[in-house]
Amino acid sequence: MTYLHEMHAPARLDRRPAARRAAAVVPAQNEERTIGAVLRQLRRLPLDEVIVVVNGSRDRTAEIAAAHGCRVIEIAGSLGHDVGRAVGAALADADICLFTDADIIVPAEDLAPFLRAVEDGVDVALNDLDRIIALPHRRHVVTLAKTFLNHVLDRPDLGLNSLTGVPHALSRRAVETIGWQRLAVPPVAHAAAVLAGLRVRAVHPVNVAARNRVHRYDSPTRLPIVLERLILGDHLEALELVKAARGARGGREDTLRQRAQMEAIVARARELWEAGAGPAPEEPRPEDRPPTRRPPQPPLRARAAPQRFAVRARQPARPARAPGRGSDRARGAAQRAHAPLLPRAAVGTGDAGGGLARIRGAHPHGAGHRTSGVTDLAGRARWTGWDLVLIYLVSQIGLSAIIGLIAFFGLRSGVAEGELRRLVLVLAYLVSSPFLLGVEWLWLALRRAADEVRALYRWPGRTALLAWGLAGGLAVKFLSDGVTYVESRFWPHIEQNNPLVTDPSAFRDPLVLAGLFLAVVVAAPLAEELFYRGLLFEWLRPRGWWPAALGSSLLFGAAHFSLTLLLPLSVTGLGFAWIYARTGSLVTSTLAHAVFNGVALAATLWSLAV
């Protein structure tokens, strides 16, 4: 199966015939900000259909999904993501079902391994979180519950991986064996898959915590109490399933305890005591026993009446199958029996904007044509390596042209050479970052990549913002100063190209200092983080985290045109890349960059004043 229309690394492209039908199921609720970017990544995969289960939404999520050519089930009430996945799995007519969420933008390169694994024979392909979650987060009660369930199922190799996490993929055999109804409780479905002997594997790591648009909790180790109780209850249900299949002890022997002999031992001891070995202990009379207090019981809750959902179809009728596909797959008896439980919806496969029916079509520029970068619906690159080169060249050439014109007209008007040099220096220092930022936004607007760029600035949460933004910026500054100090020990005669130090007289004016603060602490972090971490790092990311981090950091250091500052600034860029990767948001890395520049500017001005 050709899993992607375009890949960043040729070695990862797997060109095999698409012998099996594949579908994606995306539950969504008020996700109009990210649903478009999520569907664009899915369109890069050879999917025969994409089913979006929109429930409880009050925004344009359903309209956006329908405009992207998806089968949309819109439900007025809130179902929850797990129920949405179960409904989508029941309605999917495919041999492979891929599940992801509408609020997590996962690149197609990270989704393709799940399809590939199922096509190679795996029944349940899981997200390999064991390779991502650090040791401190493994102590959380939910993580411990998932690990414990896998040990009870005699699958310790799965670690903390289960169907609770997305993305994951299931074969049609797995859906029919587990029962699509059980997918509404992921740990129960996970236990059913293992108990049935299906092939369950953790196939690929995807850091969904870093990519999540909104963290609904302050820390990765603190879930809301409602969600925590929900997941723990799910695992209790899964344990009940294990007990029903393997017995009360889950198939574990009780060989070290001879509980069956307890009654005989007590009876024999009483006989010996009665025969003269001593008085036998008497059973306390009921009236002599101390009163016991029953723990307070929670009040019984009245069972809520079933909610009636209003379902609206969002699509035209389903088109005819491609030749050779045959008739629709007959559903199993269990699915037909539960068909009345599904919401009433006349769903089709709308084909606006290109349609899923043409996902397998040839590239518009011919067979074998490949580009790199993030793609839109039609397969055009959102941004490529050439885009990054052109953004940088246009910004540098345009800035040089502006400064050159100012210098030319300044000389013709009779401005003194020293004053003109200081003017050019101030302009170059103040205008370079805002100019680069303007070129970036203009270029990305022309490429229609607003959704992808907007997703880079997802809100990371207050705790992450303070911990990674403020504290991270100070830590990176401390690390960079340490590298500078070590470098100065080996190269004591380091040239200083900071214009604040080489020509401080040009920055005496208060207005110039105010502009300098805005340029260094505001514009520079915005422009440089968007270019080096947002665009360059994300473009290199499919090649691996370290190649992306090292490549973007080295170019960040080299862009300052100072050989002596190359190593410290490269280490600085590596720190910012780490902060961005850990939080999944440019907001935190931009704040850390602003803190870094603010501390450096304050230290420089203080040294000049002293």
Side-chain angles (χ1 to χ4, degrees), residues 19-31:
R20 308 176 69 181
R21 289 176 57 82
V25 176
V26 185
Q29 181 178 4
N30 296 323
E31 305 294 353

Side-chain angles (χ1 to χ4, degrees), residues 142-153:
V142 171
T143 304
L144 294 176
K146 292 191 289 186
T147 305
F148 175 72
L149 178 61
N150 283 327
H151 278 267
V152 171
L153 292 169

Side-chain angles (χ1 to χ4, degrees), residues 263 266-267 270 273-274 279-290:
E263 298 291 340
V266 171
R270 292 182 187 278
W273 281 332
E274 291 174 357
E282 295 183 359
E283 289 288 338
R285 293 176 299 179
E287 58 269 16
D288 296 333
R289 292 175 182 171

Side-chain angles (χ1 to χ4, degrees), residues 177-512:
T177 301
I178 296 170
W180 62 265
Q181 298 88 351
R182 282 178 172 164
L183 294 178
V185 185
V188 174
H190 179 78
V194 175
L195 293 173
L198 299 176
R199 293 189 61 188
V200 182
R201 300 287 185 272
V203 299
H204 181 69
V206 179
N207 192 351
V208 291
R211 301 177 188 273
N212 203 344
R213 175 175 62 86
V214 177
H215 292 286
R216 297 178 176 86
Y217 43 91
D218 294 332
S219 168
T221 60
R222 292 175 54 199
L223 289 172
I225 187 63
V226 176
L227 182 58
E228 179 181 302
R229 291 171 62 88
L230 172 69
I231 298 176
L232 291 180
D234 292 349
H235 284 81
L236 289 176
E237 282 193 48
L239 291 176
E240 289 295 328
L241 182 64
V242 176
K243 290 168 62 178
R246 297 181 176 177
R249 295 181 56 83
R252 269 75 179 172
E253 299 81 4
D254 191 17
T255 56
L256 298 180
R257 285 193 298 262
Q258 302 299 326
R259 289 185 286 176
Q261 301 183 20
M262 291 190 303
E263 298 291 340
I265 292 172
V266 171
R268 179 58 179 165
R270 292 182 187 278
E271 292 176 2
L272 293 175
W273 281 332
E274 291 174 357
E282 295 183 359
E283 289 288 338
R285 293 176 299 179
E287 58 269 16
D288 296 333
R289 292 175 182 171
T292 58
R293 291 185 178 181
R294 295 185 60 185
Q297 301 294 323
L300 295 177
R301 294 179 297 176
R303 179 173 298 178
Q307 185 177 6
R308 295 182 178 273
F309 296 110
V311 182
R312 298 195 303 272
R314 280 278 179 178
Q315 299 177 312
R318 182 172 180 171
R321 266 182 202 271
R325 290 294 183 188
S327 60
D328 287 345
R329 183 185 303 276
R331 294 297 179 190
Q335 294 190 14
R336 287 196 299 269
H338 290 82
L341 299 179
L342 291 176
R344 300 185 304 274
V347 295
T349 54
D351 202 28
L356 290 173
R358 293 200 292 271
I359 285 182
R360 300 180 185 274
H363 195 279
H365 297 292
H369 180 85
R370 294 177 59 250
T371 57
S372 56
V374 181
T375 61
D376 63 1
L377 300 180
R380 296 185 296 271
R382 285 297 182 174
W383 65 76
T384 66
W386 286 112
D387 286 323
L388 302 180
V389 172
L390 290 175
I391 288 174
Y392 187 81
L393 290 180
V394 167
S395 63
Q396 295 300 315
I397 294 174
L399 180 63
S400 300
I402 293 174
I403 294 177
L405 289 174
I406 293 174
F408 174 77
F409 287 108
L411 290 174
R412 293 196 60 178
S413 61
V415 179
E417 183 177 353
E419 292 293 329
L420 183 60
R421 184 179 65 83
R422 279 191 288 271
L423 175 62
V424 170
L425 178 64
V426 170
L427 288 176
Y429 212 65
L430 299 184
V431 180
S432 58
S433 294
F435 192 83
L436 172 61
L437 184 62
V439 172
E440 289 171 342
W441 280 106
L442 178 60
W443 195 275
L444 292 173
L446 294 176
R447 301 295 276 170
R448 297 181 180 178
D451 289 339
E452 286 79 3
V453 175
R454 192 180 299 112
L456 296 175
Y457 288 94
R458 62 181 67 90
W459 179 247
R462 182 177 57 185
T463 302
L465 190 66
L466 295 176
W468 291 101
L470 295 177
L474 295 175
V476 172
K477 176 60 179 171
F478 179 81
L479 180 63
S480 177
D481 288 345
V483 174
T484 303
Y485 174 78
V486 172
E487 188 181 52
S488 65
R489 301 291 294 178
F490 292 93
W491 295 282
H493 304 291
I494 297 180
E495 59 177 332
Q496 180 59 259
N497 66 345
N498 188 346
L500 275 174
V501 178
T502 57
D503 192 3
S505 61
F507 297 88
R508 298 296 186 187
D509 188 83
L511 292 178
V512 175

Side-chain angles (χ1 to χ4, degrees), residues 23-99:
V25 176
V26 185
Q29 181 178 4
N30 296 323
E31 305 294 353
E32 65 177 4
R33 293 176 54 190
T34 54
I35 184 67
V38 170
L39 295 178
R40 274 190 285 273
Q41 294 300 323
L42 291 175
R43 291 294 297 274
R44 298 175 59 198
L45 299 169
L47 300 174
D48 295 274
E49 61 180 357
V50 175
I51 300 175
V52 181
V53 183
V54 182
N55 60 99
S57 286
R58 298 181 301 275
D59 59 7
R60 299 177 55 252
T61 301
E63 298 176 13
I64 297 173
H68 281 76
C70 302
R71 299 175 63 190
V72 179
I73 306 298
E74 187 177 6
I75 303 168
S78 177
L79 295 177
H81 282 357
D82 299 327
V83 177
R85 294 190 195 103
V87 171
L91 295 174
D93 184 18
D95 303 295
I96 303 173
C97 290
L98 174 68
F99 299 87

